[in-house]
């Protein structure tokens, strides 16, 4: 069954290898786990619902608990401590677009806040209800999980927006197709959620981000139904698809999505190379993507991430042998791991692999074949489970991600890592920090940084630790040409930094768009755009962002 | 010197080969050219300017004539007849963003209409002033034509928005780079114009449409300066770049553009194959693009376009020999020409060519090598000059373009062609019509249709002929799942059909965006969104589009 207070299925509980634990203890000390609250205790806290009875709305406490939080570290701390704060007043699980429309009409009439809910995997607070006067109705798309149509000539599949990753792929695979969208949250996250938050999958190098995959569809709004037609391309006006993408439930609820699919590839394999150091690895990655080598995936771990991965892999004897071999080939202590995928027809794969290895050679990499790459592929969705294992040892884990142009990648990564490292220095608490480039583009790269620290003596001070790390680093990112999010979206946790990236005029444009669709501000309030003093409809309304022009 | 009443440089005057003329006369009869008006006569019509004196504003009649019209067929008829109707009251050619800002402030203060002007190559009426009470100030970006910065690590070039195609490429080439954006209007059209109208270049298969090339930049608006930062990708909110793209001067004036550039390729060649018939050619094109063969260009002419191209090529003896050879190989009367480009490193080109020929073979194409492809590449920007030659023989030429999903490509192309063929049937005037697929995508294709008809006995009835053809076909396109424009934009000529594609709610969103940036509606009025009864600021304002939800 799905964990009510953590990631994934509760039958899956990966062991942390002793070598990994030792490595962490060495880095940041031994930790004392905090006690988890029991579900029953949380259920007893749930207040009476303020929603009226309605055949589509469930108000049981258990369901409301299970839809109150996502997967951010503050969400974890809330769930583990049992201090949820706010619960939705009810959860509806419509099966059809008309029911979504009916629920939106009900909400508009009574002034309920509406939160669209996909897989509940947000790490930025998208689906968390805020405290307030107005009752909160969470609308889960979980029952809209079917492949509704497949046009194999145009390679477009139509899905209910609540379809989670595994059901997207299994329904397509049965017909010989794939969407190819594999975010780390794949197991639980949904197509509608991917679109609403501009998600990126691990193989975006071949298949594109969700922006490239989303061809059109239906969004139910308070002003009626918005139907975005599928067109291969158009020069007619700003693109409505691009207004839906990243709208995070502020414009309406995506109910049906048409996506661009691809026939299942003939071949797919994942490969590993080790580079002597970070400069060589990063430079090779940049050159490979700028040369348009048709890889399906390219990921580069920095030195500390490479060390951490090898420590967490278990099998210390094997790893020692591997490291000795690599050291003899020049890839010693600062070595960096590159994983890349080749996908397509036999001939395409052969060509891509040849080209990739040619670049590897040019940058003196040690090519290791497919063994470790295969391992990566098998475990690609297991990383979130590791969080569970670390938690039980008393370690809190969070990730931060951004993207920036190549000329700024090293500088920004270093700043982020330094800031996190030193973030708890006044408590004399070191933080373990490592990064990789997960999505590379000719123009630049994403930077994905993981940080691990021991929980503090209680939940409150653990949250304070997180806030200090997260807030200072978020500010640092946007002040140094990074986006506040490359793949997690804005939600509530990133909303206060959005204005730095968008500028005053950009924020005005976004606010005006939201106000057009939702003049009374009942859709997912506080997500993407913060609650303002001036009210949503008013363009002159005071808001917190400083003027930047 | 640039022609004041037609395309391009007046020293270039291509001859129409006798074989081509005979072919046309055979199809649609002998035509009687209409007399052209003299520039002096037009200049005498220009009324006094309603603009105040200002150091940045020129009010000479000659300059106002040369900025009054684009390159649509109605524009040609207006220019050739000398019946311009409306002229801008003045033309400013600022050299810097601050001057654009100054001009916008002046316009806001006095309520002038402002028309941004790039290369003046619009074929949809983007830059034509409308008759009205308010003086019209055309702001030409012609003097902002420099490469301002090149970041070779991130492969981003910064240009003044008025840089025309040849200056974009020559400034980049000197540094070893290319933008790779080659619309047919390349010789005159500008970077800012490409962005404002979502342009597509002939090699978009490799380099992407302008949407993929535009990384960020600066737009001066009535509300201040909008700066869109460069980011390789972001999940933070709907993308501001996508609001600028296709905004057609309604939100502001793009002054500086940062674009994604590519090192000059090692190799480039263009190849030709002939298919037995349309079904095979179209199917091969679809399969090739869906298989992600890394071509830089792919274009398929239908039977009638293939016949027309061969007739217009001149060298009838050579062509007869070629056709005899092709017929022996199975490509007889209905044969269809495919032109494709391979661009990149030597190895990439070898791989791409091999793959393309493999598909050709599978669909029984006759591969002809690079001779005809090279010819195509040499003449790729010469097509607009042909219009001049045809005009002098009494023929009017216009093009229509759209894009649709693959399952609808044949059906829509046939409808468009049938409608144009029969469009003047009640005058017993046949129309010569032919089409090609110019931009192919895994999901579908653009359809680019050319139609030629003899001018009528005078300008007025020639315009009526055009209106009947254009208007009925535009309506047919949007009613049959085509976009009103794949690459020319909306302008004024397509604005009345936009609502069918966008829907009522989509139109509301666009109107609200425009009203946010330009509440009094002085920026390029009537372009993209039509003038409405209710005024720009009012969302409830009556407008002409029927309700569609």
């Amino acid at each position: 069954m799905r964990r009510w207070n953590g990631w994934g299925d509760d039958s899956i509980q990966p062991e942390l290898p002793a070598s990994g634990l030792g490595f962490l203890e060495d880095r940041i000390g031994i930790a004392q786990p905090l006690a988890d609250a029991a579900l029953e205790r949380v259920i007893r806290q749930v207040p009476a619902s303020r929603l009226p009875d309605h055949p589509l709305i469930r108000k049981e406490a258990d369901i409301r608990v299970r839809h109150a939080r996502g997967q951010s570290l503050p969400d974890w701390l809330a769930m583990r401590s049992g201090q949820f704060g706010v619960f939705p007043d009810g959860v509806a699980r419509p099966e059809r677009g008309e029911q979504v429309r009916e629920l939106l009409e009900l909400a508009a009439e009574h002034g309920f806040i509406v939160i669209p809910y996909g897989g509940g995997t947000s790490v930025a607070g998208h689906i968390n209800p805020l405290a307030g006067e107005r009752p909160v109705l969470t609308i889960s798309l979980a029952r809209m999980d079917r492949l509704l149509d497949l046009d194999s000539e145009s390679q477009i599949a139509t899905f209910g927006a609540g379809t989670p990753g595994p059901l997207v792929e299994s329904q397509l695979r049965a017909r010989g197709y794939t969407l190819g969208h594999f975010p780390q949250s794949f197991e639980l996250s949904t197509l509608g959620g991917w679109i609403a938050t501009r998600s990126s999958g691990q193989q975006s190098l071949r298949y594109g981000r969700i922006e490239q995959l989303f061809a059109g569809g239906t969004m139910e709004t308070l002003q009626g139904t918005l139907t975005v037609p599928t067109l291969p391309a158009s020069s007619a006006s700003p693109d409505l698809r691009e207004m839906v993408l990243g709208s995070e439930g502020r414009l309406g609820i995506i109910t049906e999505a048409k996506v661009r699919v691809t026939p299942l590839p003939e071949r797919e394999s994942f490969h590993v190379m080790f580079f002597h150091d970070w400069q060589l690895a990063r430079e090779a990655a940049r050159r490979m993507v700028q040369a348009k080598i048709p890889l399906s995936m390219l990921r580069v771990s920095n030195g500390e991430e490479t060390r951490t991965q090898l420590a967490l892999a278990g099998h210390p004897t094997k790893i020692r042998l591997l490291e000795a071999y690599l050291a003899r080939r020049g890839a010693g202590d600062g070595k960096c791991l590159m994983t890349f995928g080749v996908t397509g027809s036999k001939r395409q794969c052969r060509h891509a692999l040849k080209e990739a290895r040619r670049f590897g050679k040019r940058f003196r990499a040690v090519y290791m074949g497919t063994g470790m790459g295969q391992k990566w592929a098998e475990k690609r969705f297991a990383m979130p489970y590791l969080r569970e294992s670390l938690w039980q040892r008393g370690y809190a884990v969070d990730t931060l991600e951004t993207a920036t142009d190549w000329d700024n990648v090293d500088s920004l990564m270093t700043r982020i890592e330094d800031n996190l490292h030193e973030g708890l220095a006044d408590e004399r608490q070191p933080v373990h920090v490592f990064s990789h480039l997960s999505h590379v583009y000719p123009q630049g790269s994403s930077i994905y940084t993981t940080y691990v620290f021991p929980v503090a003596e209680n939940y409150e001070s653990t949250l304070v630790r997180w806030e200090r790390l997260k807030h200072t680093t978020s500010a640092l990112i946007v002040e140094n040409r990074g986006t506040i999010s490359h793949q997690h979206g804005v939600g509530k946790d990133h909303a206060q930094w959005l204005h730095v990236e968008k500028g005053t005029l950009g924020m005005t444009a976004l606010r005006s768009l939201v106000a057009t669709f939702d003049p009374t501000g009942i859709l997912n309030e506080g997500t993407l755009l913060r609650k303002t003093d001036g009210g949503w409809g008013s363009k002159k309304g005071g808001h917190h962002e400083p003027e930047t022009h």
Side-chain angles (χ1 to χ4, degrees), chain A residues 58-110:
Chain A
R58 303 276 298 269
K59 299 192 274 189
E60 294 94 316
D62 179 68
I63 292 176
R64 291 166 59 195
V65 169
R66 290 177 187 273
H67 289 80
R69 290 284 185 160
Q71 294 288 330
S72 71
L73 188 56
D75 290 336
W76 268 58
L77 298 178
M79 295 188 292
R80 295 295 176 152
S81 66
Q83 304 299 318
F84 274 63
V86 186
F87 299 92
D89 290 275
V91 178
R93 288 190 286 194
E95 291 175 5
R96 293 183 303 281
E98 307 90 79
Q99 292 179 335
V100 174
R101 218 150 47 228
E102 185 186 336
L103 289 161
L104 285 178
E105 278 160 18
L106 188 77
E109 193 186 328
H110 297 284

Side-chain angles (χ1 to χ4, degrees), chain A residues 4-5 34-46 62 65-66 77-84 87 459:
Chain A
W4 67 275
N5 64 354
L34 295 170
D36 288 352
L39 178 57
E40 296 67 41
R41 188 165 74 75
V42 176
I43 283 178
R44 280 198 301 273
Q45 292 170 31
V46 178
D62 179 68
V65 169
R66 290 177 187 273
L77 298 178
M79 295 188 292
R80 295 295 176 152
S81 66
Q83 304 299 318
F84 274 63
F87 299 92
Y459 278 99

Side-chain angles (χ1 to χ4, degrees), chain A residues 482-513:
Chain A
T483 172
I484 189 61
S485 176
H486 168 269
Q487 65 203 66
H488 291 161
V490 177
K492 296 180 184 76
D493 293 357
H494 296 144
Q496 65 178 295
W497 292 283
L498 187 63
H499 72 99
V500 185
E501 187 171 332
K502 302 292 169 183
T504 304
L505 201 47
M507 291 305 288
T508 303
L510 293 174
R511 281 183 193 286
S512 122
L513 190 65

Side-chain angles (χ1 to χ4, degrees), chain A residues 117 126 130 133 205 216 251 269 292 313 367 421 425 468 485 489:
Chain A
Y117 186 101
H126 288 91
L130 296 178
E133 298 287 300
L205 208 48
L251 305 183
S269 55
K292 302 185 201 274
Y367 174 69
H421 265 304
R468 291 172 59 194
S485 176

